[in-house]
Amino acid sequence: MEVIYQYAWLIPVLPLLGAMLVGLGLISINQVTNRLRQLNAVVIISLMGASMALSLALLWSQFQGHAPYLWTLEWAAAGNFHLTMGYTIDHLTALMLVIVTTVAVLVMIYTDGYMAHDPGYVRFYAYLSLFGSSMLGLVVSPNLVQVYIFWELVGMCSYLLVGFWYDRKAAADACQKAFVTNRVGDFGLLLGILGLFWATGSFDFMVMGDRLSNLVETGSISNFLAILLAILVFLGPVAKSAQFPLHVWLPDAMEGPTPISALIHAATMVAAGVFLIARMYPVFENVPAAMNVIAFTGAFTAFLGATIAITQNDIKKGLAYSTISQLGYMVMAMGVGAYSAGLFHLMTHAYFKAMLFLGSGSVIHGMEAVVGHDPVLAQDMRLMGGLRKYMPVTGFTFLIGCLAIAGIPPFAGFWSKDEILGAAFAANPFLWFIGWLTAGITAFYMFRMYFSTFEGKFRGNDEKIKTQLKNAAAALAEKSGTAELAPNFGPGAMKKGELESHSHDSHSHEPHESPWTMSLPLVVLAIPSMLIGLVGTPYANYFEQFIFPPSETLGSVMEKAAEFDPHEFYVMAGSSVVVSVIGITLAVLMYLARKIDPSAIAKNIQPLYDLSLNKWYFDDIYHRVFVLGLRRVARQVMEVDFRVVDGAVNLTGFFTLVSGEGLKYLESGRVQFYALIVFGAVLGLVIVFGVT
């Protein structure tokens, strides 16, 4: 068994090798590489599959009780400064490796069907493999410097994938927004890393935590400085995991192809932030004020994302705000000290959210057979309805995902979310109330999404709705200054010629189920979405016995488990299920039975409806304050540069030119002229001194 630990470095290297081989092929023999598109896909998927097999073996070994493994080498040294690089395998690493690789393999299989006709098919696979490799490298990193290196690689890959269709203005703007927003958080993270090294002299997670605690206790550094350093580090996860106030990039990231949306939201980019909080937990848990900041940031983000999601009509953006909300739960759990619960929800969320996003891609794929390559129409739930009849596999798996995220037992999301709410209630009842209320809102908007998409009558051929949506999109585009409404090439469902060739087919006016390469990952992901929560039941919490804070021991965890009160669990779990059922019932009455008119309610609470529809106006505020504000500052700087800096330089040049022009008449080279000048000077001196 020791051999697999010695070769664990292959887990991030194998996908990197795949990306490198395909990338070199695209650079050197582009046409040949693109012609062998499915061969490239097989290579990429096989290498990620090998990483998955090795990750599963490591997880099983760790579960069987193998000691954590650490391998390092000295990377740089200068005097007393020594920086090591390597990899570590412990319980948290093993779990994250399995989550990342399993989701990545399924997303890669799904990609073959979704991107089948996209000219960038091979390039997309290369990016996916590089993305997976970067996240896996981050997970196995043994110190904060190596984490930061892979942290930035993950950000770079997300930039490439969100802006994959770079010839679309919306995609180009979205990847730039993601890049800039993450730079804000990453700058704070870098300052925090440097500050912690200055204070503790180490980049090791446990050493930093212990030394920082001792320094604060002895008064060597102030408590305020410790809080500041912890919050600076937390800024990195705030950006990566889309927490308030740096959450604005994630919904715009939906401009990328749906497979990458699934990978970002389930197992890579946004999971990296929660993972870093877990890795830095030895630092955070010794700074109570920082823990409070983390907890309240997560709680507010959970509520914020949920309240925005209830009015979204774009199926992918609705899921994006759902992710923001669920990430808020995870961050809140970390802040209240529920380390295991936060990571448990990270795991369950990874599988059901990957399934939901891939399901939305399947819906878009089916809708494009009717409406063509227009994201305004293909992704708008107001033009869907009744899709369960045409897409039974997609509809059934999407329903499972909705039940899981709504927290209905025995689906996965119930167990992890209930554990977070229980810990929040013990820490701060106000945080519990926010989480409890958010759970009800979550159930409402997810079943609003399900009923609008899969139940009722199919509205895809209603020309009146199409015209209304196009007019609304055109007005929005004109207001925002974006003329483009549709991509040059759609999300990979059908070629334009293929679409036209089916225009006279009786099925051209109906959606269709996705091919097996897209349906199979949905079915596979439905299994953990239903069952994986059972490993973390309060009666036998195997997950908590495997994943617990570094500062605790298995003995203390078992003691806490023995104190389990079933009556308390029934009360807490019952309250969360009740509020979820209320949310589902409201969705049924509004969007399935049509007993309640949502538009009438919206008119009665117009300010709140507009607040949700306009995303709490954060995008507008940021645009006015930062975009327009910085443009004004830049304009003023340009004026100073033009009038002062350039003016001074130009004045110096003008003076030199004038003086040079004047001197050229004096420097004639004639001795008589120079003698005349000397005579004039002497005469002037005689006159001056004679007068005085």
Side-chain angles (χ1 to χ4, degrees):
M1 190 61 75
E2 189 70 23
V3 176
I4 62 172
Y5 287 89
Q6 295 172 2
Y7 288 96
W9 57 272
L10 286 171
I11 293 175
V13 169
L14 288 174
L16 178 64
L17 177 64
M20 184 182 70
L21 291 173
V22 175
L24 289 174
L26 288 171
I27 293 170
S28 55
I29 45 174
N30 183 278
Q31 293 183 350
V32 175
T33 304
N34 277 306
R35 278 200 297 269
L36 299 173
R37 45 173 31 199
Q38 289 200 314
L39 176 62
N40 284 284
V42 169
V43 170
I44 292 286
I45 296 172
S46 299
L47 290 171
M48 184 60 81
S51 292
M52 180 182 72
L54 192 51
S55 299
L56 288 168
L58 288 171
L59 179 64
W60 178 250
S61 173
Q62 287 291 301
F63 186 74
Q64 292 297 311
H66 193 287
Y69 183 88
L70 175 66
W71 182 88
T72 59
L73 58 84
E74 190 169 83
W75 191 52
N80 294 327
F81 175 77
H82 296 275
L83 181 60
T84 59
M85 294 290 173
Y87 63 92
T88 183
I89 304 296
D90 57 14
H91 290 188
L92 176 59
T93 300
L95 174 71
M96 289 298 298
L97 288 176
V98 170
I99 292 172
V100 175
T101 53
T102 51
V103 173
V105 166
L106 292 170
V107 167
M108 286 176 173
I109 294 171
Y110 179 95
T111 297
D112 177 66
Y114 191 83
M115 302 290 287
H117 299 297
D118 196 289
Y121 176 96
V122 178
R123 177 168 59 92
F124 189 72
Y125 267 105
Y127 287 170
L128 277 180
S129 193
L130 183 60
F131 198 16
S133 173
S134 301
M135 184 62 192
L136 293 169
L138 188 153
V139 167
V140 301
S141 296
N143 59 61
L144 200 48
V145 171
Q146 192 171 329
V147 163
Y148 188 76
I149 292 170
F150 285 104
W151 183 272
E152 294 301 327
L153 280 173
V154 168
M156 181 200 73
C157 293
S158 69
Y159 175 84
L160 294 173
L161 285 158
V162 171
F164 180 76
W165 288 314
Y166 54 83
D167 52 352
R168 292 177 52 198
K169 187 179 186 304
D173 290 344
C175 69
Q176 289 181 36
K177 186 174 183 179
F179 182 81
V180 171
T181 307
N182 276 275
R183 294 287 64 71
V184 176
D186 292 357
F187 181 63
L189 173 60
L190 180 59
L191 290 178
I193 292 172
L194 296 176
L196 284 172
F197 179 75
W198 166 79
T200 64
S202 176
F203 292 114
D204 183 83
F205 307 108
M206 288 298 298
V207 174
M208 281 189 296
D210 293 339
R211 289 183 182 175
L212 187 66
S213 177
N214 292 332
L215 288 169
V216 173
E217 288 177 3
T218 58
S220 299
I221 66 171
S222 67
N223 190 49
F224 172 78
L225 182 58
I227 295 169
L228 177 63
L229 293 177
I231 291 176
L232 283 173
V233 170
F234 177 57
L235 278 178
V238 165
K240 271 287 192 293
S241 289
Q243 298 297 288
F244 167 81
L246 301 178
H247 64 282
V248 292
W249 68 270
L250 192 58
D252 291 56
M254 297 304 95
E255 293 296 336
T258 301
I260 195 53
S261 300
L263 196 57
I264 284 177
H265 287 251
T268 52
M269 181 106 170
V270 297
V274 179
F275 171 78
L276 182 59
I277 297 175
R279 272 289 185 233
M280 293 296 293
Y281 198 76
V283 172
F284 292 131
E285 68 176 341
N286 293 314
V287 188
M291 292 287 279
N292 287 333
V293 170
I294 293 171
F296 279 93
T297 299
F300 181 73
T301 304
F303 181 73
L304 173 71
T307 53
I308 296 176
I310 59 177
T311 57
Q312 297 301 306
N313 294 308
D314 184 306
I315 188 170
K316 285 180 67 177
K317 288 199 173 180
L319 290 173
Y321 282 107
S322 167
T323 300
I324 291 174
S325 182
Q326 297 304 305
L327 289 167
Y329 272 109
M330 300 172 208
V331 172
M332 179 178 70
M334 292 293 179
V336 299
Y339 178 93
S340 299
L343 290 171
F344 187 31
H345 197 56
L346 172 65
M347 178 182 72
T348 59
H349 176 265
Y351 292 111
F352 62 67
K353 185 51 66 70
M355 182 176 65
L356 286 167
F357 261 108
L358 296 183
S360 72
S362 182
V363 168
I364 295 167
H365 178 280
M367 286 294 295
E368 283 186 336
V370 180
V371 301
H373 298 289
D374 188 342
V376 173
L377 303 180
Q379 296 177 197
D380 199 303
M381 293 183 290
R382 289 170 291 186
L383 204 60
M384 299 177 187
L387 292 182
R388 181 170 56 87
K389 182 174 70 172
Y390 306 104
M391 310 175 70
V393 175
T394 302
F396 179 67
T397 54
F398 203 93
L399 176 61
I400 290 173
C402 290
L403 291 167
I405 197 173
I408 301 300
F411 295 90
F414 164 75
W415 303 104
S416 55
K417 190 182 292 186
D418 182 71
E419 192 173 346
I420 292 173
L421 291 176
F425 186 81
N428 187 323
F430 178 68
L431 291 176
W432 168 83
F433 177 74
I434 295 175
W436 177 81
L437 184 61
T438 301
I441 300 172
T442 301
F444 171 77
Y445 71 69
M446 286 307 303
F447 276 87
R448 167 185 178 266
M449 187 179 298
Y450 175 77
F451 294 140
S452 298
T453 304
F454 292 99
E455 301 296 339
K457 180 183 177 183
F458 180 60
R459 301 178 292 274
N461 295 312
D462 191 322
E463 294 300 326
K464 183 180 178 181
I465 299 178
K466 287 183 182 180
T467 303
Q468 290 175 347
L469 296 180
K470 286 183 176 180
N471 292 339
L476 182 63
E478 185 178 351
K479 179 182 176 182
S480 62
T482 306
E484 177 202 42
L485 293 178
N488 294 337
F489 198 92
M494 303 175 76
K495 290 181 180 177
K496 292 183 180 180
E498 184 181 357
L499 187 65
E500 291 166 3
S501 68
H502 286 74
S503 60
H504 300 292
D505 191 341
S506 60
H507 295 289
S508 63
H509 297 290
E510 294 181 354
H512 57 78
E513 185 59 272
S514 301
W516 73 268
T517 50
M518 295 172 67
S519 300
L520 178 63
L522 294 175
V523 174
V524 173
L525 285 166
I527 297 171
S529 297
M530 290 187 289
L531 302 177
I532 203 167
L534 298 177
V535 303
T537 64
Y539 300 99
N541 199 331
Y542 301 108
F543 186 89
E544 191 171 11
Q545 294 172 24
F546 184 67
I547 299 291
F548 49 84
S551 57
E552 294 187 16
T553 62
L554 181 59
S556 63
V557 172
M558 296 299 290
E559 287 178 10
K560 289 181 181 178
E563 298 172 358
F564 166 66
D565 183 357
H567 299 292
E568 181 182 345
F569 166 70
Y570 293 139
V571 171
M572 297 299 298
S575 65
S576 64
V577 171
V578 166
V579 76
S580 296
V581 170
I582 291 172
I584 295 172
T585 303
L586 286 173
V588 169
L589 293 174
M590 289 185 187
Y591 299 100
L592 185 63
R594 305 287 177 180
K595 300 293 185 182
I596 301 176
D597 184 8
S599 59
I601 296 176
K603 288 179 182 178
N604 290 330
I605 53 170
Q606 193 69 38
L608 292 176
Y609 176 77
D610 290 340
L611 181 69
S612 172
L613 189 64
N614 291 285
K615 310 161 195 172
W616 285 43
Y617 299 101
F618 277 113
D619 283 327
D620 298 322
I621 293 169
Y622 288 179
H623 181 74
R624 288 176 180 272
V625 175
F626 295 110
V627 177
L628 299 182
L630 288 174
R631 283 179 185 172
R632 292 190 189 98
V633 172
R635 194 173 294 112
Q636 295 301 319
V637 171
M638 185 183 70
E639 289 292 324
V640 171
D641 179 66
F642 178 74
R643 298 184 184 279
V644 178
V645 179
D646 285 358
V649 172
N650 293 337
L651 181 62
T652 303
F654 178 74
F655 176 77
T656 304
L657 179 64
V658 171
S659 60
E661 286 292 326
L663 286 174
K664 77 179 182 180
Y665 294 106
L666 299 178
E667 297 181 0
S668 62
R670 295 181 179 180
V671 177
Q672 299 91 329
F673 183 71
Y674 294 151
L676 180 62
I677 291 174
V678 172
F679 175 76
V682 171
L683 181 61
L685 290 172
V686 169
I687 293 171
V688 170
F689 285 106
V691 172
T692 57

